[in-house]
Amino acid sequence: VLFRSSDVGVRVKHIPQFGNFLAGYTNSFGNGAYDFMLLKTDVEGNEEWHQTYGTAAWERVYDAALTKDSGMMIVGETTNTPDGETDIYIVRTDKNGNELWSQQIGAAGPDVAKTIVADVDSTFIIAGQKYVADSAMYKGWMVRMDHHGTVLWEKTLGKLGDCVINDAVIDHPSGQIALVGMVVRPQGDTLIFEGKGLPSGYFGIETQAKLDGVVYYEGLASFGSGDRYVTVQRFDNQYSYGGFDLSIAQNYSGLSWEMNVAQVNYIHDELMGEVITTSDFGAIVVGSITDSWMGGS
């Protein structure tokens, strides 16, 4: 697909016999700066249409999920705010790309939705970070929302510093929610963050751990039955090969570390795009690396 300017694809969602949705953001079209974008292809990958959603400010997509009526829920951030800080931005479309509704959530401070997970009951878990004025920090933020945009419950998680939830999954049939992210303490060091809770929003497990250097969770997926997880850590310490590297591990049901599976080590930075599990209980991690011998990233 060739547009006129800078365009980023973030998620691809496939519907059998219908085609594919590609969600991302673009400044080739839309209302100005960058806008959310949804592109539809047929089953062969030929473009059928594309739509943009947003304001005259800058919008950026981080994740997207299919709805039961073959529409999309797209989440990210917008700078359409009085102070220039980001707000959470959510767009719901039908299967033809028509916007059904959008929501902007936030106040003073940086707010962003980093991940969305569809549940079997037509509700969604959306998570990221939200500024909490009482603490003068941003906290890990999570809501359960239905496909009409109604918030069923809302939680803020994390302590000891600024917290962001980078990824989440829902275990079936229990419906338990697992999440991972990072905490940056006032003294500047970084902690890994993990949590596990019930469908009602009660989180009985919420832990933080300090590792050497800068280490945090970037991705999470469940291995089939939900009693194991695959996690992706991004780290820059004495074990990295210059810049940020990726470490892929298997974890127990409580999200405690079980064993390393693989590492991605190049001279410069590596960045995870997404991690998913496969039908044979494996996993696929995709992303980007930045090395001069590759001509860029």
Side-chain angles (χ1 to χ4, degrees):
V1 177
L2 179 62
F3 291 150
R4 297 190 300 267
S5 193
S6 297
D7 314 284
V8 178
V10 176
R11 291 289 182 265
V12 174
K13 300 296 180 180
H14 172 69
I15 303 176
Q17 288 81 54
F18 181 71
N20 305 287
F21 286 124
L22 189 153
Y25 52 99
T26 178
N27 69 352
S28 293
F29 310 95
N31 296 318
Y34 282 88
D35 286 327
F36 280 19
M37 178 187 67
L38 185 62
L39 184 147
K40 168 68 168 58
T41 78
D42 62 18
V43 293
E44 302 296 330
N46 303 302
E47 182 186 346
E48 294 182 334
W49 51 258
H50 62 265
Q51 299 270 19
T52 59
Y53 321 91
T55 70
W58 183 309
E59 281 80 42
R60 181 177 182 180
V61 169
Y62 284 99
D63 203 1
L66 285 168
T67 60
K68 283 196 171 181
D69 59 0
S70 300
M72 288 284 281
M73 291 269 283
I74 310 171
V75 302
E77 65 186 19
T78 179
T79 57
N80 182 38
T81 58
D83 58 4
E85 294 279 9
T86 58
D87 272 0
I88 295 155
Y89 198 61
I90 305 169
V91 172
R92 161 79 152 102
T93 78
D94 65 16
K95 66 179 182 180
N96 298 312
N98 300 307
E99 181 179 323
L100 300 180
W101 53 261
S102 64
Q103 283 197 37
Q104 183 170 328
I105 303 171
D111 310 308
V112 59
K114 298 293 291 291
T115 184
I116 179 170
V117 187
D119 208 344
V120 294
D121 60 355
S122 295
T123 66
F124 299 84
I125 296 298
I126 304 173
Q129 69 182 49
K130 190 176 182 184
Y131 184 76
V132 178
D134 289 348
S135 65
M137 295 178 179
Y138 59 84
K139 297 299 181 182
W141 170 83
M142 175 172 286
V143 299
R144 183 181 288 276
M145 178 181 289
D146 68 20
H147 64 104
H148 299 297
T150 302
V151 174
L152 305 178
W153 53 254
E154 180 176 7
K155 298 288 180 181
T156 54
L157 302 169
K159 52 190 176 181
L160 305 179
D162 293 322
C163 178
V164 58
I165 298 169
N166 287 325
D167 208 355
V169 297
I170 301 173
D171 291 336
H172 295 295
S174 70
Q176 291 190 85
I177 304 160
L179 54 91
V180 295
M182 65 186 292
V183 172
V184 180
R185 295 196 291 188
Q187 54 265 47
D189 57 344
T190 302
L191 288 71
I192 62 172
F193 174 80
E194 56 199 15
K196 196 165 185 185
L198 300 176
S200 62
Y202 170 74
F203 280 82
I205 298 175
E206 183 183 341
T207 60
Q208 300 172 173
K210 176 71 175 73
L211 303 178
D212 292 334
V214 178
V215 184
Y216 62 89
Y217 280 122
E218 196 164 48
L220 173 70
S222 57
F223 274 137
S225 64
D227 58 351
R228 292 289 188 276
Y229 295 90
V230 57
T231 56
V232 181
Q233 290 184 3
R234 197 163 186 245
F235 66 97
D236 185 0
N237 56 24
Q238 70 267 36
Y239 303 108
S240 57
Y241 189 54
F244 278 94
D245 291 329
L246 298 178
S247 176
I248 304 164
Q250 181 170 303
N251 295 62
Y252 287 113
S253 59
L255 284 172
S256 56
W257 179 88
E258 184 174 4
M259 62 184 239
N260 280 335
V261 177
Q263 288 197 173
V264 184
N265 302 83
Y266 291 91
I267 296 175
H268 297 104
D269 291 343
E270 286 83 64
L271 182 67
M272 188 208 78
E274 189 174 17
V275 53
I276 62 170
T277 47
T278 61
S279 59
D280 60 354
F281 307 117
I284 298 174
V285 182
V286 296
S288 63
I289 58 179
T290 305
D291 267 326
S292 57
W293 59 271
M294 293 184 172
S297 61

